[in-house]
């Protein structure tokens, strides 16, 4: 398929790997902050082919995974209420909360529906005036324009039975938080291509300058990842710290202005808790004053609930990149896509799910 | 995911409802095109959860591939200059 | 065959009453394998590798029997319907044991309220498919249940066949060095069903590959006889699950190459859009074979002479170990392990 298959060419992949081997003279640690990129890297085995010393750390690039446990519990509580149609992207259905997941609510008779697009949730609301339709608005900046449009459509149509449970997160503050951590080893970042298609890359320029880290806006196909890694390594070798754009076919420096306008109108920046990482100031979005009436937390009066994480789950360390799924004692044993202990095993963009799907096992010590 | 716009429809006075059918290699779906007003029939767009978020720049795409194809053959790189 | 009440059988560890059967138990992947191994096969006295069809050792020729139920929604879909599927599914299971299917027994469970026109259309489809596959329907049963007690209509077909001369096919027959042959494109049936359900808003050139494979098997056995070591049609759970089952039963490892997987463009796109793995998507019209290397070319040529095998190709190799492991060579030259499907990937697709 056009604009996909060309970026999967095995011969060009070999050339990029050879170029990488010729370019890297020292060990470097690079982090990608995008679940889609993590998935490609692990499924294609790119991390296993990189020259010795080039280490990829899988960052918190999965918005499903970083959705606070408390928010999952609120979703479960709201979805269980009579007269509510709870809509969500598919991944969120099996994210384990303290007492269960959304799929469990569905199994017990709750009206929980998977939608491919938030506009479907608005259509459901228009078609069911006697029900309250709630949409679980989770995601990075990539999905924010879509979720914003849903609110705008609902407002335009005068719908009083539509609301959103908002748990949006922003990438740049997460990168800063990782760089500020005292034990940080990351020297360069691959920025998420579609987040930047929406937001552009101007927000990354001050980060690159202040922390002296190269940031390369990168796509999702194998050749994109390899080229992005090569560009980052070149900058590191040459002592540069700039923002570069590998994903030029889809990303411009200013991004998508119409989309950003919609986001600014419908949302405002707030602090947010990231599951496994903690609260990062100014790292999330909630509804703006103009559209606060569409906030499900207010409408349903969800109070703060006591949350309890599974003690064996090391999602926090996975999301920060300090541990790999294969380091987890529960991985493939008690924690599987069917019986997940934490979010990274459930989401298609989660690191644990990516490892599991690629059949990665903890390496066993082999007798020589 | 990139797809090709097959048709575009804009209800009178409602640019926020600009939609089109996008073809993804034989699978088609209606997509909201409100955020890519410059994208027309025949253009490729990046689609996410039913919304086009960016128009694919075909020149840049060609440039990227040209750069990659100009890379030296893998074996030549590893053996070093003759 | 009627099952005796499983609860009446002796069971040393009582079941927790909250443990229930899950949708995933029927998906053809690891969960179903567990259900069979823990609940079903020990009680029925099954041992040995799980095959697509059973052998009745009555001397020569050997009789092969298989049974399957069909519960697919929607009932009618591009490329077929529950009727043609019911014929093809069982014909193929018998064929996968290296046998010529001769006849089918057919039973219906119909929900009260099903339009008669649908029943007629489905039965016509059964008749057409049976004629085209060269099998007769020789026995049947029809039951009607109250509204809500079944989802429209369920079909069960039991197939009887005779082992082809020279055939020694079995799931445990794979040997290191064998060539892995695949008869055609993958991912068509499952994606066609999902798209046909319509609730995701996608429309596409996705047509089920449901078709009989008995002629294909006959031509392969005629070409190489016992050198065709194993056959399987990768239905629920997809090609990944079928390869894992063969690797496990034969105690070998199998290596395939991503670049050689014949995934039609619309299937690839649909899977990308929905985050599905084509290797886990159900098929109803292709087969995978493990063939002795010195006979692989002959078998491939024979396959390609038929329309249902015209896209046949070499997919990979069988090696000695680690036993039960299936790996795939990735596009960039690395390797990854290909596991069985875990849990439920798709709604009922066959």
């Amino acid at each position: 398929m056009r604009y996909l298959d060309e970026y999967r060419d095995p011969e060009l992949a070999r050339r990029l790997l050879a170029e990488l081997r010729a370019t890297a003279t020292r060990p470097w640690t690079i982090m990608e902050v995008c679940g889609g990129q993590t998935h490609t890297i692990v499924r294609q085995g790119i991390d296993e082919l990189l020259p010795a010393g080039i280490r990829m750390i899988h960052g918190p690039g999965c918005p499903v995974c970083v959705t606070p446990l408390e928010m999952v519990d609120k979703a479960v509580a709201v979805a269980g209420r009579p007269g509510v149609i709870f809509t969500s992207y598919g991944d969120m259905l099996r994210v384990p909360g303290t007492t269960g997941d959304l799929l469990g609510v569905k199994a017990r008779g709750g009206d929980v529906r998977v939608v491919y697009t938030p506009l479907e949730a608005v259509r459901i609301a228009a078609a069911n005036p006697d029900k309250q339709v709630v949409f679980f608005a989770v995601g990075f900046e990539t999905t924010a324009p879509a979720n914003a449009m849903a609110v705008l459509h609902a407002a335009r149509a005068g719908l009083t039975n539509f609301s959103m449970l908002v748990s949006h997160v922003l990438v740049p503050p997460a990168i800063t938080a990782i760089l500020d951590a005292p034990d940080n080893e990351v020297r360069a970042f691959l920025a998420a291509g579609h987040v930047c298609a929406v937001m552009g890359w101007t927000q990354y320029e001050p980060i690159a300058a202040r922390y002296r880290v190269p940031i390369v806006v990168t796509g999702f196909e194998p050749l994109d990842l390899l080229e992005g890694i090569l560009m980052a390594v070149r900058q590191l070798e040459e002592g540069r710290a700039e923002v570069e754009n590998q994903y030029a076919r889809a990303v411009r420096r200013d991004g998508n202005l119409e989309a950003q306008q919609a986001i600014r109108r419908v949302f405002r920046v707030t602090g947010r808790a990231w599951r496994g990482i903690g609260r990062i100031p100014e790292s999330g979005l909630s509804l703006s004053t103009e559209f606060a009436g569409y906030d499900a937390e207010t409408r349903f009066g969800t109070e703060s609930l006591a949350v309890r994480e599974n003690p064996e789950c090391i999602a926090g360390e996975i999301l920060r990149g300090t541990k790999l799924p294969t380091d987890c004692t529960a991985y493939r044993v008690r924690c599987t896509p069917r019986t997940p202990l934490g979010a990274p095993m459930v989401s298609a963009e989660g690191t644990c799910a990516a490892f599991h799907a690629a059949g990665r096992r903890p390496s066993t010590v082999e007798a020589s | 995911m990139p797809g090709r716009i097959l048709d575009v429809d804009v209800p009178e006075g409602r640019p926020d409802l600009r939609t089109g059918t996008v073809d993804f290699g034989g699978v088609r779906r209606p997509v909201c095109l409100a955020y890519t007003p410059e994208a027309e029939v025949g253009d490729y767009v990046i689609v996410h959860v039913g919304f086009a978020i960016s128009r694919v720049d075909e020149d840049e795409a060609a440039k990227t591939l040209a750069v990659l194809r100009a890379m030296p053959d893998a074996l030549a790189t590893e053996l070093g200059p003759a | 065959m009627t099952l005796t009440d499983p609860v009446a059988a002796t069971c040393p560890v009582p079941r927790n009453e909250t443990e229930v059967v899950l949708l995933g138990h029927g998906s053809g992947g690891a969960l179903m394998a567990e259900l069979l191994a823990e609940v079903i096969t020990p009680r029925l006295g099954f041992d040995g590798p799980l095959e697509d069809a059973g052998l009745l050792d009555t001397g020569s020729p050997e009789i092969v029997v298989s049974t399957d139920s069909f519960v697919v929604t929607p009932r009618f879909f591009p490329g077929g319907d529950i009727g043609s599927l019911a014929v093809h599914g069982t014909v193929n299971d018998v064929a996968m044991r290296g046998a010529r299917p001769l006849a089918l027994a057919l039973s219906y469970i119909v929900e009260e309220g099903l339009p008669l026109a649908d029943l007629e259309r489905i039965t016509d489809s059964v008749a057409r498919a049976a004629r085209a596959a060269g099998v007769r329907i020789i026995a049947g049963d029809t039951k009607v249940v109250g509204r809500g007690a079944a989802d429209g209509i369920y079909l069960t077909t039991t197939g009887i066949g005779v082992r082809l001369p020279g055939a020694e096919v079995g799931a445990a027959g794979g040997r290191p060095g064998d060539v892995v042959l695949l008869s055609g494109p993958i991912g068509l049936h499952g994606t066609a069903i999902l798209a046909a359900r319509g609730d995701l808003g996608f429309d596409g050139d996705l047509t089920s590959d449901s078709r009989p494979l008995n002629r294909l098997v006959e031509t392969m056995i005629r070409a190489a006889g016992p050198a065709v070591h194993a056959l399987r049609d990768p239905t629920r759970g997809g090609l990944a699950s079928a390869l894992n089952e063969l690797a496990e039963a034969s105690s070998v490892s199998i290596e395939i190459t991503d670049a050689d997987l014949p995934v039609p463009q619309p299937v690839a796109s649909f899977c990308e859009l929905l985050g599905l793995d084509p290797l886990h998507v159900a098929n109803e019209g292709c087969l995978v074979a493990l063939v002795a290397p010195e006979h692989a070319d002959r078998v491939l040529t024979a396959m390609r002479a038929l329309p249902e095998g015209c896209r046949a190709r070499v997919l990979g190799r069988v090696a000695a170990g680690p036993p039960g492991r299936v790996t795939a060579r990735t596009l960039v030259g690395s390797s990854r392990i290909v596991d069985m499907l875990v849990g439920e990937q798709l709604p009922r697709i066959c």
Side-chain angles (χ1 to χ4, degrees):
Chain A
M1 208 186 76
R2 204 147 166 230
Y3 298 118
L4 269 189
D5 294 339
E6 309 95 302
Y7 303 93
R8 297 176 176 176
D9 185 324
E11 170 55 30
L12 295 181
R14 273 192 289 279
R15 293 191 199 181
L16 278 163
L17 280 164
E19 189 66 25
L20 253 172
R21 278 191 288 277
T23 308
T25 65
R26 273 170 289 167
W28 299 113
T29 298
I30 304 171
M31 174 182 272
E32 87 277 2
V33 188
C34 169
Q37 292 171 345
T38 303
H39 191 84
T40 300
I41 288 171
V42 174
R43 185 181 173 88
Q44 296 293 333
I46 288 173
D47 51 340
E48 294 176 333
L49 292 175
L50 295 174
I54 306 297
R55 186 163 71 109
M56 295 305 299
I57 291 192
H58 312 303
C62 165
V64 168
C65 306
V66 300
T67 301
L69 180 52
E70 193 178 35
M71 194 55 86
V72 178
D73 289 345
K74 282 184 185 176
V76 168
V78 169
R81 298 209 194 177
V84 168
I85 300 177
F86 196 88
T87 60
S88 166
Y89 297 124
D91 277 8
M92 289 308 304
L93 252 63
R94 286 182 304 138
V95 173
T98 305
T99 54
D101 56 25
L102 286 168
L103 199 60
V105 176
K106 189 177 164 77
R108 288 191 296 278
D111 196 341
V112 177
R113 305 187 197 181
V114 170
V115 293
Y116 165 71
T117 172
L119 293 184
E120 182 62 25
V122 178
R123 267 194 287 279
I124 292 174
N128 292 274
D130 55 324
K131 303 271 186 171
Q132 279 290 328
V133 176
V134 182
F135 177 69
F136 203 175
V138 167
F140 282 123
E141 296 95 316
T142 331
T143 30
N147 297 340
M149 186 64 79
V151 173
L152 291 170
H153 280 192
R156 188 91 187 237
L159 295 177
T160 53
N161 63 332
F162 176 79
S163 62
M164 291 207 316
L165 194 59
V166 181
S167 188
H168 266 292
V169 281
L170 304 171
V171 174
I175 289 184
T176 318
I178 285 162
L179 286 165
D180 283 336
D183 54 352
N184 173 52
E185 293 173 359
V186 179
R187 290 286 162 265
F189 288 88
L190 301 186
H194 290 154
V195 167
C196 293
V198 172
M199 302 300 292
W201 69 72
T202 51
Q203 294 171 310
Y204 298 85
E205 288 165 346
I207 300 177
R210 186 163 132 225
Y211 293 89
R212 301 281 314 143
V213 282
I215 300 177
V216 180
V217 179
T218 306
F220 306 89
E221 298 308 314
L223 295 192
D224 292 321
L225 268 320
L226 286 169
E227 195 184 18
I229 294 169
L230 176 61
M231 289 165 73
V233 169
R234 274 197 185 127
Q235 286 206 43
L236 290 164
E237 292 281 333
E238 293 164 17
R240 289 184 288 125
E242 297 154 14
V243 180
E244 285 185 299
N245 182 18
Q246 181 281 329
Y247 199 25
R249 63 191 185 275
V251 181
R252 280 115 232 161
R253 184 169 175 268
D254 290 330
N256 185 320
L257 297 173
E258 284 89 3
Q260 289 167 31
Q261 210 166 37
I263 295 175
R264 263 196 303 276
R265 190 171 161 211
V266 174
F267 296 106
R268 61 186 168 88
V269 176
T270 53
R272 226 171 239 301
W274 291 52
R275 190 170 182 175
I277 296 177
R279 191 177 175 75
I280 304 178
E282 310 212 323
S283 68
L285 296 174
S286 56
L287 287 165
S288 63
T289 322
E290 184 184 356
F291 296 98
Y294 291 93
D295 181 44
E297 278 184 88
T298 320
R299 191 175 294 196
F300 291 93
T302 56
E303 71 272 0
S304 282
L305 311 157
V307 296
R308 199 184 62 241
E309 290 277 11
N310 181 293
E312 205 180 354
C313 176
I314 58 167
E317 288 159 287
I318 301 288
L319 292 166
R320 285 193 303 276
T322 52
K323 285 230 169 91
L324 289 174
T326 38
D327 298 327
C328 175
T329 48
Y331 174 71
R332 296 194 87 90
V333 181
R334 282 168 292 288
C335 185
T336 65
R338 183 189 19 127
T339 55
L341 298 186
M345 182 58 89
V346 159
S347 170
E349 309 218 310
T351 301
C352 302
F355 268 57
H356 192 280
R360 296 280 175 99
R361 262 90 166 149
S363 52
T364 48
V365 176
E366 286 175 340
S368 46
Chain B
M1 169 132 192
R4 201 168 119 260
I5 299 177
L6 297 179
D7 53 63
V8 176
D9 176 56
V10 192
E12 189 68 39
R14 293 292 303 269
D16 62 321
L17 291 178
R18 187 170 194 263
T19 46
T21 310
V22 174
D23 175 66
F24 305 92
V27 173
R28 292 171 291 278
R29 204 190 187 282
V31 168
C32 176
L33 300 174
Y35 293 129
T36 50
E38 75 287 6
E40 298 291 353
V41 172
D43 285 345
Y44 280 80
V45 284
I46 304 288
V47 176
H48 198 70
V49 298
F51 283 76
I53 55 171
S54 171
R55 193 178 76 93
V56 175
D57 185 327
E58 319 213 356
D59 291 332
E60 286 293 347
K63 259 198 271 183
T64 300
L65 285 174
V67 165
L68 293 179
R69 287 171 184 148
M71 299 194 89
D73 188 84
L75 201 54
T77 310
E78 289 181 325
L79 292 175
Chain C
M1 183 180 86
T2 47
L3 269 181
T4 52
D5 180 4
V7 173
T10 50
C11 174
V13 179
R15 265 295 158 197
N16 180 333
E17 65 192 7
T18 60
E19 287 188 74
V20 295
V21 176
L22 306 172
L23 260 185
H25 281 124
S27 67
L31 205 51
M32 184 162 112
E34 257 180 51
L35 183 76
L36 289 174
E38 289 174 18
V39 176
I40 311 219
T41 56
R43 290 176 162 79
L44 299 177
F46 276 26
D47 55 26
L50 292 178
E51 305 276 0
D52 284 326
L55 269 179
L56 265 180
D57 196 0
T58 58
S60 182
E62 290 168 305
I63 296 176
V64 172
V65 182
S66 175
T67 191
D68 231 329
S69 293
F70 298 86
V71 297
V72 64
T73 339
R75 292 191 274 288
F76 303 101
F77 46 84
D81 52 51
I82 193 172
S84 55
L85 201 58
V87 170
H88 298 152
T90 295
V91 158
N92 293 346
D93 277 347
V94 169
M96 291 307 125
R97 214 50 212 281
R100 167 181 298 147
L102 296 175
L104 297 178
L106 166 69
S107 71
Y108 288 116
I109 295 177
V110 186
E111 182 190 4
E112 178 187 11
L114 182 81
L116 276 173
D118 278 9
L119 188 58
E120 286 172 347
R121 193 172 153 194
I122 288 168
T123 307
D124 280 338
S125 180
V126 168
R128 242 189 340 262
R131 256 195 315 275
V135 297
R136 291 170 50 220
I137 313 288
I138 60 168
D141 179 63
T142 306
K143 294 281 186 296
V144 180
V145 293
R147 233 170 258 270
D151 191 2
I153 184 169
Y154 297 151
L155 263 60
T156 299
T157 43
T158 299
I160 301 180
V162 286
R163 194 91 162 213
L164 292 162
E168 285 173 23
V169 184
R175 296 283 168 268
D178 280 356
V179 175
V180 182
L181 297 178
L182 179 64
S183 68
I186 62 170
L188 286 160
H189 180 75
T191 52
I193 295 293
L194 242 194
R197 283 168 52 93
D199 44 12
L200 291 165
F202 288 95
D203 165 47
D205 310 328
L206 293 163
T207 306
S208 168
D209 61 340
S210 172
R211 64 165 76 93
L213 298 171
N214 47 331
R215 277 193 322 161
L216 188 62
V217 170
E218 280 202 46
T219 198
M220 292 167 73
I221 302 292
R222 246 199 321 272
V228 179
H229 292 160
L231 287 171
R232 186 138 287 191
D233 62 334
T235 55
R236 283 158 303 148
L239 182 59
S241 302
L243 289 173
N244 270 279
E245 286 165 6
L246 288 178
E248 186 67 43
S250 298
S251 295
V252 293
S253 70
I254 294 177
E255 190 191 79
I256 63 174
T257 305
D258 273 347
D260 292 338
L261 283 169
V263 183
Q265 190 57 265
V267 172
S269 300
F270 194 70
C271 288
E272 283 267 0
L273 286 162
L274 295 178
L276 304 172
D277 186 341
L279 282 172
H280 287 144
V281 175
N283 309 279
E284 291 288 342
C286 66
L287 61 78
V288 64
L290 305 184
V291 179
E294 54 283 6
H295 294 266
D297 280 340
R298 267 179 64 175
V299 175
L300 203 50
T301 306
M303 291 168 84
R304 285 176 175 159
L306 291 178
E308 56 266 40
C310 65
R311 307 265 303 274
R313 63 179 60 189
V314 174
L315 190 61
R317 281 264 159 184
V318 176
R325 171 146 307 174
V326 179
T327 55
R329 200 151 175 72
T330 72
L331 292 172
V332 298
S334 184
S335 183
R336 72 166 197 286
I337 295 176
V338 176
D339 276 328
M340 290 187 80
L341 173 65
V342 176
E344 181 72 18
Q345 193 192 47
L346 295 170
R348 286 171 299 163
I349 36 76
C350 63

